[in-house]
Amino acid sequence: MIREAYVNMAVLALLLIVPVWAQMTGEPFTITLATRAVIFALAAVGLNVALGLGGMVSLGHAVFFGIGGYAMGILAFHAQTFTPVMTWPADVPGTKSMPIIWLVAMLTSGLAALAIGALSLRTAGVYFIMITLAFGQMAYFFTISWPTYGGEDGLSIYVRNGFPGLNTLAPMPFFAICFTLLCLVLLFVALLARSPFGLALNAARQSPARVQTVGLDPQRLKLVAFVISGVITGLAGALFADLNRFVSPTMFSWQMSGEIMVFVILGGVARLCGPVVGAVVFVALEHILGDLSDYWHIWLGALLLVIVLFARGGIVGLLAGRARAHD
Amino acid sequence: MTDAVLATHGLSRSFGALRATNEVSIDLRPGEIHAIIGPNGAGKSTLIAQICGGLAPDAGRVEFLGRDVTGWDVAARARAGLARTFQVSALATEDSVLQNVLLGALGAGGSPWRFLRPALSDRDLRDRAEAALTRVGLQDQAALRVSELSHGQRRQLEVAVALTLSPRAFVMDEPMAGLGAEGSAQLTAFLDGLRAEAPILLVEHDMDAVFALADRITVLVYGRIIETGTVDEIRASPAVRDAYLGGAA
Ligand SMILES: Nc1ncnc2c1ncn2[C@@H]1O[C@H](COP(=O)(O)OP(=O)(O)O)[C@@H](O)[C@H]1O
Ligand SMILES: [Mg+2]
């Protein structure tokens, strides 16, 4: 635990120092890369609540990522075209305000997680994986065939959304926003894992029968965890859309779900900062190897294979050893 | 038999052509240990599963504290005060011993819908959990992972989790299984004292323990009750001797 705390601190410090250094040496693209890593990390921290704590292998988390993205896209699109989002039952205007967009993104992805979770949790194992995947594909094809918001081509947002008191157009303030949100969410997840809810959820993953015999409902615990998980990944989706100033159906693709899963497995399932490490390594590899070869995924695949075969605790497990039951 | 804490009436359950539980009516009265014995495959665990709510009977009723609980699920029966231990330990093996009893305390006295404060810093939960550990003698193992415990210690932990529920009745499926002579003797002494707190429906293979503990014994063979009586009556019963005890008793 102590060692893991050092690893966590080191990762977050690195994530902070690299863009600060890039800022000083005038390399804005590196800041954008770091922001990309932070946002992917946030998406994967969300998945880790379902996967690591709840034992739910969701291959459909792109749904929440995409919903978060489209929440941003739709609200900002209506704001930039000065059209209402809806006129019934009330006039709802678009917005360029990040905090409002985040709230809408979290609310809508949370509702989607509630619906998808309630249906998917009737199954388990490989069926759970398949049904979450199926929901992802449904969302993907739905957005492709929805011309109002660009269909297959996606939606461009011309100016990044605003946050009170900050110039979000500059890379550094936007990075700071994303990094702060990641730290807040990590704090929340750290508390969650030790809370009564976390205790019960942990047990529900390992032995549902045990949880029932003490009078608790393991399925309900898992459903709530799935919703929390979806909310976090949805928030990441809204930030990702703002980073690119663009949303498209690829945010819903099963490759996206797979990548979020890769971040978690690479870094360490159920480890607090596992998803962060995984996302950082992924973005670094994507950048470095991607420059060398178009087929860099082969190397990623090899790394993943090594991790899965020889380091079940992921990179964090490798660095910090096995997780302690409690401190 | 209105004073029974727990009772089944004509409980039946088949698996295909196999009648695993056949018109079983038993009851558990305040302060008693009621043992269920029978050869392997007699349907003891199947009966327990129906009593605790994990398996629906084809016919018959389960009554607990005067209420018909046949349609209730496992969690609802547990909340009503029915505590069960498993034949094969069903603990959270990656968690610590303390976390496992905390879970019991949480089910009994706390809400799991608390997301921020550490469970370990909840005094009430912790007191309840630690008291249960102390009673079964596992207080020094609190910080160990369950996967690091011996088989016997896991059996003790099963009992400790049941204790945290402050139940109205215990249902225990072979708690002595694999304990060894010394462990069995210890647990026998413990259960002897426990019956004053809440009656125990005890499925057990260890005949020494059963004869030492049971106020009444029910003998189950092929899913059907062939005899219910005191230790002496069961020992003396020709039917039981033929069907189960053989020449040994
Ligand atoms: N889920 C099941 N499906 C089919 N047969 C079962 C099932 N559970 C138990 N049985 C059968 O029911 C009989 C009683 O089993 P069980 O209750 O485990 O016996 P005991 O606990 O007395 O050893 C056995 O023949 C067993 O094979
Ligand atoms: Mg059995």
Side-chain angles (χ1 to χ4, degrees), chain B residues 44-45 87 173-174:
Chain B
K44 304 181 294 295
S45 293
Q87 180 172 2
D173 198 354
E174 304 207 20

Side-chain angles (χ1 to χ4, degrees), chain A residues 24 37 82 85 92 150 154 163 185 203 235 244 263 293 298 300 319:
Chain A
M24 293 190 306
F82 302 101
V85 177
V92 178
F163 188 90
V185 169
L235 175 62
N244 303 322
F263 305 152
S293 151
I298 293 175
L300 176 71
L319 295 174

Side-chain angles (χ1 to χ4, degrees), chain A:
Chain A
M1 190 63 229
I2 308 294
R3 242 168 87 194
E4 184 168 346
Y6 283 129
V7 171
N8 293 347
M9 236 106 86
V11 172
L12 292 175
L14 183 75
L15 252 183
L16 192 57
I17 288 166
V18 167
V20 168
W21 168 81
Q23 173 81 6
M24 293 190 306
T25 55
E27 297 209 36
F29 180 66
T30 305
I31 305 179
T32 300
L33 269 188
T35 311
R36 184 176 164 85
V38 165
I39 293 170
F40 280 162
L42 185 61
V45 168
L47 175 62
N48 205 22
V49 171
L51 179 66
L53 296 179
M56 292 169 276
V57 184
S58 163
L59 250 186
H61 259 52
V63 172
F64 313 123
F65 199 63
I67 287 176
Y70 271 85
M72 176 290 202
I74 291 170
L75 287 172
F77 169 77
H78 286 286
Q80 77 187 6
T81 55
F82 302 101
T83 51
V85 177
M86 51 174 129
T87 50
W88 190 90
D91 257 338
V92 178
T95 177
K96 296 286 286 177
S97 160
M98 280 190 193
I100 297 175
I101 287 170
W102 297 341
L103 280 179
V104 173
M106 288 160 70
L107 196 72
T108 47
S109 48
L111 286 174
L114 185 65
I116 293 175
L119 290 168
S120 308
L121 279 168
R122 291 157 178 266
T123 65
V126 74
Y127 297 102
F128 184 87
I129 301 177
M130 294 320 284
I131 198 168
T132 51
L133 183 64
F135 276 114
Q137 289 305 87
M138 275 165 59
Y140 176 70
F141 287 110
F142 177 75
T143 43
I144 279 193
S145 55
W146 198 17
T148 321
Y149 298 114
E152 204 167 354
D153 299 332
L155 261 182
S156 281
I157 303 302
Y158 304 125
V159 180
R160 188 171 282 154
N161 296 302
F163 188 90
L166 289 176
N167 172 20
T168 55
L169 303 185
M172 201 57 199
F174 185 62
F175 170 83
I177 288 173
C178 296
F179 187 75
T180 306
L181 285 174
L182 175 65
C183 290
L184 288 175
V185 169
L186 282 173
L187 178 67
F188 169 70
V189 173
L191 293 173
L192 186 77
R194 288 169 177 72
S195 70
F197 174 77
L199 180 81
L201 179 63
N202 235 318
R205 183 189 73 241
Q206 298 169 57
S207 176
R210 163 58 57 204
V211 173
Q212 284 176 327
T213 40
V214 302
L216 302 175
D217 180 348
Q219 292 303 89
R220 200 175 303 172
L221 291 162
K222 285 186 174 182
L223 181 57
V224 171
F226 197 75
V227 171
I228 293 173
S229 168
V231 166
I232 296 173
T233 303
L235 175 62
L239 295 174
F240 190 67
D242 237 328
L243 173 69
N244 303 322
R245 272 162 284 138
F246 175 68
V247 286
S248 78
T250 52
M251 278 185 82
F252 283 108
S253 67
W254 64 266
Q255 288 94 332
M256 190 69 237
S257 292
E259 278 180 11
I260 299 174
M261 172 98 42
V262 166
F263 305 152
V264 177
I265 294 173
L266 204 59
V269 177
R271 309 302 284 257
L272 180 64
C273 283
V276 183
V277 173
V280 168
V281 169
F282 181 92
V283 170
L285 285 181
E286 181 184 48
H287 180 60
I288 299 165
L289 297 178
D291 274 358
L292 300 178
S293 151
D294 283 344
Y295 302 108
W296 70 278
H297 280 98
I298 293 175
W299 299 105
L300 176 71
L303 178 63
L304 206 59
L305 210 61
V306 170
I307 293 281
V308 171
L309 288 178
F310 302 110
R312 298 298 291 272
I315 298 172
V316 170
L318 218 53
L319 295 174
R322 201 175 164 203
R324 287 257 299 267
H326 59 75
D327 30 315

